[in-house]
Amino acid sequence: MKTIANTPLNSGILLPEYDRSRLVTRIVHLGFGAFHRAHQGLFTHEMLAKTDSDWGICEVNLFGGESLIQSLCKQDHLYSVAEKGAESTEVKVIGSVTEAMHPAKNGIQAILEKMAEPQVAIVSMTITEKGYCTDPATGKLDKNNPLVQQDLLTPQHPKSALGYIVQALKLRRERGLPPFTVMSCDNVQENGHVAKAAILEFAQSLDAEFRDWIETHVTFPCTMVDRIVPAATPETLSDIATLLGCDDPCAIACEPFRQWVIEDNFVAGRPDWNVAGAEFVADVVPYEEMKLRMLNGSHSFLAYLGYLGGYDHISDTMTDAGYRKAAFDMMMKAQAPSLTMPAGTDLQAYAMLLIERFTNPSLKHRTWQIAMDGSQKIPQRMGGSLKYHLANGTDFSWITTAIAGWMRYVSGIDEAGNEIDVRDPMAEQLRRICDQHGFHVSVVPALLGIEAIFPRELGQNPQVIDAVSRAYQSLLDNGARATVAAL
Ligand code: NAI
Ligand code: CS2
């Protein structure tokens, strides 16, 4: 079979310029999804081209994505990334992957054994917000999560990422091996702290002494990760195949921009990702907050109100002057004032760059995709700034309009009366509440009453209930486009 590994590729394709046979699996990555391929996989690849480092990655998908893993194995673990600017595209073949595994293909034990290999120094993750099995409002382990309950009953046969990490650390400890660093690369506020708290609480339920060993010996650096990487579509794959000169089922397209800020806190060494443009800093939290609130917060605003307004892609919303202005105001008036940034950070320039990135017409980033998992995303994208404005008596109408947009969206019916395919771990509960109220403003306090999403200080706050209710009523009366234009 012709693959990217055994076919001469078209000229202009950038190939790995280092000896891949020197690579050793020192990183096990959980979550070979769209994002990792265009971000950590590519940063590692570029670091390898510039150093004599031997850090290679074993890719693991724990949920879905089995065919991606099969394809990656068939093509010598090579895959391609197309960086699409507004006018030109650059295609790179990435060589940093050494192995790829899936529980359905290799079995749970083989993956645990891989994580317990002595030279493995980092277990990294892009497992989506829900992969942390935490309560979205508090960020603490959700012991009612069925995956957690099952893994605590059978810890030797885990299913969740937390269960795999805890069991692999247990094997390493029993074998007298040093621990690995756990590095989250998800869009979760204080992602390292959330991963640490969830893993410690999970381990505590099994063995308090082992929990203390993890706390003493394992580190959980926080990271701020940024690159817009829409899910691949048949068109993306076919476009990239034309550029390459052969099919690559693992190919992914993304924007040219990329950013990675990493807390320099690794227990067993780390690659020099800085040579590929990453930044190692002592405290990532301000950068994470800036990105989550300004980029992701306005993304969610555009996703709900854009979808309801009939826009399929983020770049389509940017062609509407009302949405474009509202997104910029969401960044600068609703989110930026709530941030405390290191001296010299230019938030206005950051916002202008974000608008430019959102405008890139080559990226087909669906509003529907970003609207997914809102129950997990809204608290960290909007909660902090909402609290800031309540405390300061300042205007938060962009945030409450975004929340109203989410409420209208999770009803499952769009403005033209068509069904919306709402994907969310809490979708059933949300739909039940919406069905009870119909399209009536009484749904607002009912949804704000879900404490897993809205802490009481926000969900029960009369000012918040009032502002979301007004925005929701405007969506019912005037529709999304007019509501956004009136902001
Ligand atoms: P994707 O849908 O392509 O991949 C999701 C990955 O998560 C898959 O590898 C899947 O196996 C894994 N996964 C899903 N549920 C899981 C669970 N319960 N436990 C363990 N693993 C689970 O999504 P994509 O685009 O790769 O995004 C993944 C995450 O990366 C996002 O949720 C976000 O936190 C972060 N991210 C994504 C960016 C993007 O533009 N796509 C940019 C910045 C961060
Ligand atoms: C998006 C992010 O899907 C979403 O929720 O807001 O994946 C966004 O594209 C990235 O965080 C950009 O770095």
Side-chain angles (χ1 to χ4, degrees):
M1 197 183 84
K2 259 174 69 168
T3 74
I4 189 172
N6 60 19
T7 314
L9 301 178
N10 288 340
S11 65
I13 305 297
L14 301 172
L15 302 171
E17 284 179 345
Y18 48 90
D19 178 9
R20 294 181 70 226
S21 67
R22 76 171 192 244
L23 303 190
V24 177
T25 298
R26 298 196 186 280
I27 301 171
V28 173
H29 181 80
L30 308 180
F32 185 66
F35 176 58
H36 169 78
R37 277 175 274 165
H39 195 269
Q40 302 94 45
L42 180 138
F43 269 96
T44 306
H45 164 79
E46 294 198 353
M47 176 278 300
L48 291 169
K50 289 183 174 162
T51 62
D52 58 4
S53 159
D54 65 0
W55 286 76
I57 310 174
C58 171
E59 303 292 355
V60 179
N61 265 340
L62 296 177
F63 286 82
E66 191 187 345
S67 68
L68 267 180
I69 296 291
Q70 300 272 21
S71 304
L72 191 60
C73 292
K74 281 190 198 136
Q75 50 194 48
D76 190 24
H77 309 107
L78 292 166
Y79 68 93
S80 53
V81 173
E83 297 177 331
K84 297 179 93 166
E87 267 129 40
S88 62
T89 299
E90 187 161 78
V91 184
K92 296 174 175 167
V93 174
I94 305 299
S96 48
V97 179
T98 43
E99 301 173 72
M101 304 176 85
H102 195 287
K105 176 174 179 272
N106 306 86
I108 294 171
Q109 293 313 315
I111 296 173
L112 289 169
E113 286 299 330
K114 181 57 61 187
M115 295 166 79
E117 281 182 4
Q119 82 292 346
V120 168
I122 296 174
V123 170
S124 54
M125 296 177 278
T126 48
I127 53 174
T128 78
E129 293 83 346
K130 60 189 172 298
Y132 293 80
C133 306
T134 51
D135 181 290
T138 61
K140 301 245 166 66
L141 183 70
D142 175 9
K143 289 213 179 141
N144 295 321
N145 183 304
L147 268 181
V148 172
Q149 290 182 336
Q150 191 185 335
D151 280 4
L152 287 174
L153 286 176
T154 54
Q156 284 96 341
H157 305 282
K159 289 215 158 44
S160 68
L162 305 180
Y164 270 90
I165 289 171
V166 169
Q167 182 62 14
L169 286 170
K170 187 156 184 286
L171 292 177
R172 295 182 80 97
R173 188 187 184 204
E174 284 166 4
R175 294 171 189 178
L177 294 170
F180 45 65
T181 298
V182 178
M183 179 176 69
S184 165
C185 293
D186 275 293
N187 279 333
V188 170
Q189 187 170 337
E190 301 197 37
N191 51 16
H193 300 154
V194 167
K196 178 176 182 177
I199 285 170
L200 290 182
E201 201 169 342
F202 185 99
Q204 169 85 30
S205 306
L206 297 173
D207 172 352
E209 198 256 334
F210 176 46
R211 174 225 175 268
D212 293 345
W213 181 86
I214 297 179
E215 184 169 37
T216 310
H217 294 94
V218 180
T219 54
F220 300 82
C222 287
T223 66
M224 182 270 244
V225 289
D226 190 7
R227 177 164 240 188
I228 295 176
V229 190
T233 61
E235 296 77 56
T236 323
L237 295 182
S238 135
D239 289 352
I240 299 179
T242 307
L243 293 168
L244 282 172
C246 85
D247 284 336
D248 174 9
C250 302
I252 196 77
C254 59
E255 64 171 340
F257 180 91
R258 65 178 201 237
Q259 191 176 12
W260 195 7
V261 189
I262 309 167
E263 178 187 341
D264 203 357
N265 185 17
F266 291 78
V267 275
R270 49 125 175 114
D272 290 333
W273 281 307
N274 48 311
V275 302
E279 293 163 79
F280 288 103
V281 300
D283 183 12
V284 175
V285 173
Y287 299 95
E288 277 191 287
E289 282 186 349
M290 174 186 80
K291 191 248 167 177
L292 272 168
R293 293 184 192 175
M294 290 184 62
L295 188 160
N296 299 109
S298 55
H299 241 183
S300 291
F301 174 98
L302 292 170
Y304 298 114
L305 296 157
Y307 186 98
L308 294 169
Y311 294 117
D312 286 342
H313 304 107
I314 291 293
S315 54
D316 302 332
T317 67
M318 289 292 103
T319 62
D320 178 319
Y323 279 76
R324 200 177 170 90
K325 179 171 185 309
F328 188 75
D329 287 346
M330 171 81 174
M331 293 172 196
M332 287 311 296
K333 294 185 181 164
Q335 305 284 48
S338 72
L339 299 168
T340 308
M341 296 305 296
T345 311
D346 184 345
L347 293 178
Q348 169 106 0
Y350 183 64
M352 283 161 67
L353 177 63
L354 291 178
I355 294 290
E356 190 185 318
R357 291 169 62 194
F358 290 178
T359 305
N360 183 344
S362 317
L363 278 190
K364 297 286 170 230
H365 202 186
R366 293 179 69 192
T367 46
W368 174 82
Q369 187 192 345
I370 300 164
M372 221 179 268
D373 292 350
S375 65
Q376 317 291 302
K377 293 174 176 174
I378 283 182
Q380 50 195 345
R381 296 179 181 200
M382 322 246 173
S385 21
L386 197 46
K387 281 183 199 158
Y388 168 90
H389 289 293
L390 286 169
N392 289 279
T394 38
D395 188 359
F396 49 77
S397 45
W398 296 272
I399 297 176
T400 41
T401 303
I403 294 173
W406 167 75
M407 292 180 170
R408 178 65 189 76
Y409 179 90
V410 297
S411 72
I413 305 289
D414 72 12
E415 290 185 356
N418 299 315
E419 185 103 7
I420 305 175
D421 179 7
V422 177
R423 304 270 177 98
D424 193 296
M426 295 174 74
E428 262 178 48
Q429 183 186 355
L430 298 172
R431 182 68 186 251
R432 213 176 320 115
I433 295 175
C434 290
D435 286 350
Q436 271 163 15
H437 292 266
F439 288 123
H440 189 274
V441 74
S442 62
V443 77
V444 169
L447 289 170
L448 284 173
I450 306 176
E451 287 187 29
I453 307 178
F454 302 102
R456 288 179 140 258
E457 59 178 310
L458 296 180
Q460 314 278 312
N461 182 304
Q463 273 179 276
V464 174
I465 298 175
D466 180 54
V468 180
S469 300
R470 274 185 283 116
Y472 183 86
Q473 191 63 50
S474 170
L475 289 173
L476 294 184
D477 295 344
N478 313 314
R481 289 193 189 193
T483 301
V484 170
L487 263 173

